[in-house]
Amino acid sequence: MQAVAAEFNISQTCYLTRIPNSTSPNTRFRLRWFTPVTEVKLCGHATLASAHTLFTTGLVNSNIIEFDTLSGILTAKKVPDVCPTNVSEVQNGGVSDRFLIELNFPTVPVTDFNSAEASLISKALNDAPLIDVKRTTTADDIFVIPQ
């Protein structure tokens, strides 16, 4: 998988594998994402694209898909698009087959970042003013909210 992602040389390449006979009542797939150099834990746009492909091609017959990932179980839910696409659709009482996809990602617990170290983050970002800096408690990642 990594070799193919390196050959594609795009920001993210994702791989889907159906999980047969899952204990879940929902259709389940293993989903993995790779950059050209490494596997990553989460990629929202590739998850959305995967769900859209599965829903629109008829490869799933339910409105919920579960993705087993390095970040845990992510869900994609197919919900009706209640906004009409144009005035004639409303006037003719037509119903659109359009839909939206609602993604549910895991939450990551965060803690406050040391304010003395936050100034180093600002300096590394060309002295950009920062609103907040948080650190994840699980992977030690840093979230920076610039002004």
Side-chain angles (χ1 to χ4, degrees), residues 64-103:
I64 298 176
I65 303 169
E66 293 180 347
F67 296 112
D68 185 359
T69 75
L70 289 178
S71 294
I73 301 297
L74 311 178
T75 60
K77 183 178 180 183
K78 182 178 178 181
V79 294
D81 183 358
V82 295
C83 295
T85 58
N86 58 48
V87 174
S88 65
E89 183 179 345
V90 173
Q91 291 170 340
N92 296 326
V95 178
S96 173
D97 60 353
R98 294 170 31 138
F99 62 92
L100 304 173
I101 299 173
E102 180 181 289
L103 298 177

Side-chain angles (χ1 to χ4, degrees), residues 42-77:
L42 187 63
C43 179
H45 70 273
T47 304
L48 180 60
S50 298
H52 183 267
T53 299
L54 292 169
F55 285 136
T56 58
T57 59
L59 291 172
V60 296
N61 294 325
S62 67
N63 289 330
I64 298 176
I65 303 169
E66 293 180 347
F67 296 112
D68 185 359
T69 75
L70 289 178
S71 294
I73 301 297
L74 311 178
T75 60
K77 183 178 180 183

